[in-house]
Structure formats: C-alpha cells, structure tokens
Amino acid sequence: MAFDITSLVFDARGLIPAIAQSRDGEVLMLAWMNAESIAETLATGQVTYWSRSRSAFWRKGETSGHVQKLVELRIDCDRDCLLLVVDQTGPACHTNRRSCFYTAVREGEEIVLCEPIA
Amino acid sequence: MAFDITSLVFDARGLIPAIAQSRDGEVLMLAWMNAESIAETLATGQVTYWSRSRSAFWRKGETSGHVQKLVELRIDCDRDCLLLVVDQTGPACHTNRRSCFYTAVREGEEIVLCEPIA
C-alpha cells in the first residue's frame, strides 16, 4: 500500500509525536512532526521535526551538526505515533549527551546515567 | 535528588507521553500517563497508563495478561517525556504483535514487518 501522510492521525495542533531510536536500539529523544516535516524528512533523508516553540521546521543538527540520517520511518498500530530509526551524528541531546533520557528514577532518587560528551 | 512527580512537565490535559521499551531495546509502544498513573506505576512496579478515551487508569495487561513489569523509569532532559524500560509479557500491541511499530515506510510503500503472535 502506498504511504499517504494524510492517513496519519495528527492531534488538534496538526502534530504527531516521533521517537528517534539509533540503529543499535538506544532511544535518543522524542519530538514532534507535522505533515510538512514528515514529507521533508522523507524527501531529504535528514530528520526534520516541527518546533512547537518557533512554529517552524527544526532541521535537527542544522546548527550543531548533530544530524539524524533517516534509516527507516515506522508507524504504530493507531497511526498516531512515529518511530524514526536513525543514524545519529554526535549527541542527540542539547546537553551534549547521546540520549535525552539520561535521568533514571531508582528507589525514589534521580540518578544521572551519563555525562556530556567532551 | 529525590524524584518529585510535580517536577515533570505535563501538557494542558495533565498528561505526559511515555515510551515503553523492552529490556533488549525494542520500542514497544507509546502511551500517556498522568501524575496518578506514574505514582501507581512506581508503587506497584506494574505499568499503568492513563486512558485518554476512558479517562481512567489503563492497567496494561489487566484483561489480556500482557502486563509490563517496570524495570526502570527514565526522564528526558526537558522533563516532558518518559521512557519506561519494561519486561513485557506477551505482545505489547493489541494486534497481538510484539511491538505497535510493525509498519515501515520503504520507497513510498507501507511494509508490514511482523505478523501477530499465534
């Protein structure tokens, strides 16, 4: 079946959450996309999100160089969430950590799992 | 630092997206939690989401038996998304597939990556 972006389920803002996962399985981040950013990502092979704060394309890594090359786009059963398998250049997180999910809750305490890449 | 649920960033509905990932790295699903379902999950060790359609606790696997045992809860850098590392019993998806992300887009076509567990 041909993929049709309009078959996805967007929220009231026209957005859909997108999980970025590295090829080796690490969950890197969650951000949001709209129909145009999905089309842009598929057309260019470089992940482009939608910035909710700027209401503009967020070409991941455009200023930092920490780009995400799309390996595969996947859709969930309800068609209201995307999984982007990516090749991540450098850290995905703006704190310079590989993943944004670097804080764990263990026995009621927050534990930082990794330090920024030097 | 002690973990304080009120330090998380919930949306206007009081919800936060939660990604469930198996211990071996597979992204299983994305669902939503509110403060009460996070507290319930931490207290019981069994993942409980918030059902947006029913406006009630969604104790994952309560009817299907396909429960998720919490291995670790992680928080992202913006504190507006959770990653739940889980031990998944049976399939996570209501279609009886291990993961909800079983559809890939390849060269403009939708490809089903796996079949339901028999």
Side-chain angles (χ1 to χ4, degrees):
Chain A
M1 184 171 71
F3 173 60
D4 176 0
I5 292 176
T6 66
S7 71
L8 298 176
V9 177
F10 295 94
D11 69 14
R13 302 165 298 177
L15 302 179
I16 188 169
I19 303 161
Q21 181 182 33
S22 70
R23 209 194 275 260
D24 66 3
E26 189 171 13
V27 175
L28 301 173
M29 58 185 283
L30 180 139
W32 295 80
M33 301 182 102
N34 62 3
E36 291 72 23
S37 68
I38 296 168
E40 179 78 2
T41 296
L42 289 172
T44 63
Q46 298 289 329
V47 176
T48 294
Y49 299 103
W50 184 256
S51 168
R52 292 173 296 169
S53 55
R54 291 187 292 108
S55 293
F57 277 161
W58 169 21
R59 296 177 198 280
K60 175 69 180 161
E62 192 172 36
T63 53
S64 65
H66 301 153
V67 296
Q68 293 177 337
K69 183 178 172 189
L70 184 68
V71 175
E72 188 161 88
L73 183 147
R74 296 184 190 155
I75 307 163
D76 83 340
C77 53
D78 293 331
R79 304 184 76 83
D80 64 359
C81 184
L82 302 176
L83 177 64
L84 311 173
V85 182
V86 302
D87 278 333
Q88 171 72 52
T89 298
C93 183
H94 75 286
T95 68
N96 254 17
R97 292 172 172 92
R98 185 167 157 74
S99 163
C100 294
F101 296 96
Y102 57 82
T103 304
V105 176
R106 294 182 182 166
E107 298 179 359
E109 293 288 320
E110 292 194 16
I111 308 292
V112 174
L113 299 176
C114 67
E115 294 305 315
I117 297 170
Chain B
M1 183 172 71
F3 172 60
D4 176 359
I5 292 177
T6 65
S7 71
L8 298 175
V9 177
F10 296 94
D11 69 14
R13 303 164 298 177
L15 302 178
I16 187 170
I19 303 160
Q21 181 182 34
S22 69
R23 210 194 273 259
D24 66 3
E26 189 171 13
V27 175
L28 301 173
M29 56 185 284
L30 180 138
W32 295 80
M33 302 181 101
N34 62 4
E36 292 71 24
S37 67
I38 296 169
E40 179 78 2
T41 297
L42 289 172
T44 63
Q46 298 289 329
V47 176
T48 294
Y49 299 103
W50 183 255
S51 168
R52 292 173 297 169
S53 56
R54 292 187 290 108
S55 293
F57 276 161
W58 170 20
R59 296 176 198 280
K60 174 70 179 158
E62 191 172 38
T63 53
S64 65
H66 301 153
V67 295
Q68 293 178 338
K69 182 179 172 190
L70 184 68
V71 176
E72 187 160 270
L73 183 147
R74 296 185 191 153
I75 308 163
D76 83 340
C77 52
D78 293 332
R79 304 185 76 83
D80 64 359
C81 183
L82 302 177
L83 177 64
L84 310 173
V85 182
V86 302
D87 278 333
Q88 171 71 52
T89 297
C93 184
H94 75 285
T95 69
N96 254 19
R97 291 172 172 92
R98 183 167 158 74
S99 163
C100 294
F101 296 95
Y102 57 82
T103 304
V105 176
R106 293 181 182 167
E107 298 178 1
E109 294 287 321
E110 292 195 15
I111 308 292
V112 174
L113 300 176
C114 66
E115 295 305 314
I117 297 171

